[in-house]
Amino acid sequence: MSVSFVLEALVVLGSIVMGTRAGGVGVGLWGGLGTFVLVFIFGEAPGEPPAAAMAIILAVVTTAALMQAAGGIDWMVAVAARVIEKRPKQITLIAPLTAFLFSVGAGTSNIIYPLLPVIYDVSYKNGIRPSRPMSITVVQAGVALAASPVSAAMAAMLTLTDVAPYELGLAQILAITFPACIIGIIVTSLVVNRMGLELADDPEVQARIASGQLAAPGIDGAGAGVGAGAGGVGAGGESAAAKLTYTEAGRNSAIAFLLGVVAIVAFGIFPGLRPSFEVGGKISSVDMTSTIVLVMFVVGVLILFIGKPTVGTVPSQSVFKAGMISAIALYGIAWLTSTFIAAHEAFILRSIGTWVGSWPFIFALAVFLVSALTTSQSTATRTIVPIGLAAGLPVGVVTGMWAGALGGVYTLPANGTQIAAANFDLTGTTKLGGKLFDHSFFVPMLVLSVVTIIVGAAIGLL
């Protein structure tokens, strides 16, 4: 192990740590600083910046934000809420699976926020401990983006695997991650359904009922105190789902966006649908990066006509803001890691490759830890996945373990959805804790991650 490798590795780790402390776009800025140090101080050749991933993120985020501005997210949330209310007794399973499908379709976990008061309302009215469905609904988003054709994490992954010599395209990735995530959610729901006391046996909840802070489960107004604007139950006892409204333009915009997602998957499964051209005497099809970008641009224009969103409001949409932060963070970190790996690829293959080859789950642990530290699936993808691939792990196994390890973003109770869930749960059963790992989301996150990693790796071997 050379001195330069150690010093440069410290630069990479230091940049990630400092970026994590800064948060948001700071991750990207520190990644850029680390790249500067490697190039100007250590004399390494700059690696390839993630231009393809950036193109996908920009196109998808812009179109998704247009859809949100037209009211498309409102329609998705209303549909999801009604699905959840239809089977209240199975809410611990139905709620996370429904949220998973809509997170996959929209490419963002933002859809969870307005669903949380609905989940609380339905679970409490039916005497189900709210922390059970709420905790797993939140943490499923950690792995859902690994099964979404239009998430920033998938954009980062696709540009790493859909190239020679791996040739693992979108359809193959989804064939691994989607079933692994579904199985992970089902197993986790069975575990979570046994966690915590029943409401009738919980002294804290019963004390709140006795003091008048809460109505007894099943009584109209049981959720009183949750603001109507948040989708909660008002004094009249109206269901939370009934309060969620949408417009026809929003519905049509959401359907157009989801059809675009379906089209992207179809182009991935059937490459023959993509145009082919002769370049340098060789026939080649349009790559998936260009396909995703072009489909999203077409969908965006379609939404302009059928949804008539106010274009000026697009930059203020939550989807747009989150997407741009992810893009900046991804750019800096990806450039840093590609520069470092290109400079030391031979050593990584010779030494680190031996470790990972003997203990493959070291790779999953690395993705998990970076996800926990950065709370960014796309950043963890571009930081660790190239190392796993360079170390010689089978690309299918890398993909399967990657999907589950992304659940690490919910290791610490610092995400907005975790905080929102704790605030919406008036029973107090959903807790943020006070010792980092004693929060309500830790065990569901750990179970979901481990099961998805194991199942994903097994499917990837096939």
Side-chain angles (χ1 to χ4, degrees), residues 311-340:
V311 178
T313 65
V314 168
S316 64
Q317 300 299 317
S318 61
V319 169
F320 190 87
K321 292 177 181 178
M324 290 302 104
I325 291 174
S326 295
I328 295 170
L330 172 65
Y331 195 92
I333 288 294
W335 202 2
L336 172 63
T337 54
S338 66
T339 300
F340 177 72

Side-chain angles (χ1 to χ4, degrees), residues 2-297:
S2 66
V3 174
S4 63
F5 176 86
V6 173
L7 293 177
E8 290 177 33
L10 290 174
V11 170
V12 173
L13 292 174
S15 297
I16 293 173
V17 171
M18 294 304 296
T20 300
R21 292 181 62 182
V25 298
V27 176
L29 294 175
W30 275 100
L33 174 63
T35 306
F36 177 90
V37 173
L38 295 185
V39 174
F40 282 85
I41 305 300
F42 290 94
E44 304 292 3
E48 288 291 329
M54 291 293 292
I56 293 174
I57 293 172
L58 291 175
V60 170
V61 165
T62 301
T63 303
L66 275 169
M67 183 261 292
Q68 184 179 20
I73 294 291
D74 295 336
W75 177 78
M76 288 186 180
V77 170
V79 172
R82 283 163 176 76
V83 170
I84 291 170
E85 281 199 338
K86 283 184 178 179
R87 291 184 173 271
K89 294 298 184 181
Q90 289 80 42
I91 191 171
T92 305
L93 175 61
I94 298 299
L97 283 177
T98 304
F100 171 79
L101 292 176
F102 279 90
S103 295
V104 166
T108 175
S109 61
N110 286 332
I111 193 173
I112 295 174
Y113 285 99
L115 282 179
L116 291 174
V118 176
I119 295 170
Y120 168 74
D121 174 44
V122 174
S123 59
Y124 186 69
K125 278 187 173 182
N126 287 274
I128 297 169
R129 189 178 180 87
S131 61
R132 294 170 179 170
M134 294 184 81
S135 62
I136 188 174
T137 298
V138 167
V139 301
Q140 64 76 30
V143 300
L145 301 190
S148 172
V150 289
S151 69
M154 181 63 78
M157 188 65 173
L158 193 60
T159 56
L160 296 171
T161 63
D162 195 16
V163 295
Y166 312 113
E167 305 294 349
L168 194 76
L170 178 63
Q172 291 87 353
I173 293 175
L174 292 178
I176 296 170
T177 61
F178 196 91
C181 293
I182 291 290
I183 293 172
I185 292 172
I186 292 173
V187 173
T188 306
S189 70
L190 295 175
V191 174
V192 170
N193 216 28
R194 296 178 176 275
M195 291 178 59
L197 297 172
E198 299 299 332
L199 291 181
D201 301 323
D202 191 316
E204 292 184 13
V205 175
Q206 293 306 310
R208 294 191 183 199
I209 293 175
S211 67
Q213 291 178 272
L214 288 171
I219 297 176
D220 283 349
V226 181
V233 179
E238 184 180 6
S239 75
K243 288 180 172 292
L244 298 173
T245 59
Y246 60 88
T247 63
E248 183 179 352
R251 180 199 63 193
N252 295 339
S253 298
I255 292 173
F257 185 86
L258 294 175
L259 288 176
V261 174
V262 172
I264 288 171
V265 174
F267 282 124
I269 296 175
F270 306 106
L273 296 176
R274 290 177 256 157
S276 298
F277 305 96
E278 182 177 348
V279 180
K282 181 181 178 182
I283 302 296
S284 59
S285 300
V286 174
D287 60 87
M288 276 306 296
T289 295
S290 300
T291 300
I292 294 172
V293 171
L294 292 174
V295 169
M296 281 292 104
F297 280 156

Side-chain angles (χ1 to χ4, degrees), residues 419-454:
I419 296 170
N423 288 333
F424 278 125
D425 185 356
L426 300 183
T427 66
T429 61
T430 306
K431 304 178 185 295
L432 294 177
K435 300 176 182 178
L436 293 183
F437 305 118
D438 60 338
H439 54 87
S440 298
F441 310 92
F442 186 75
V443 172
M445 175 278 303
L446 204 58
V447 174
L448 177 61
S449 296
V450 170
V451 173
T452 308
I453 287 171
I454 294 173

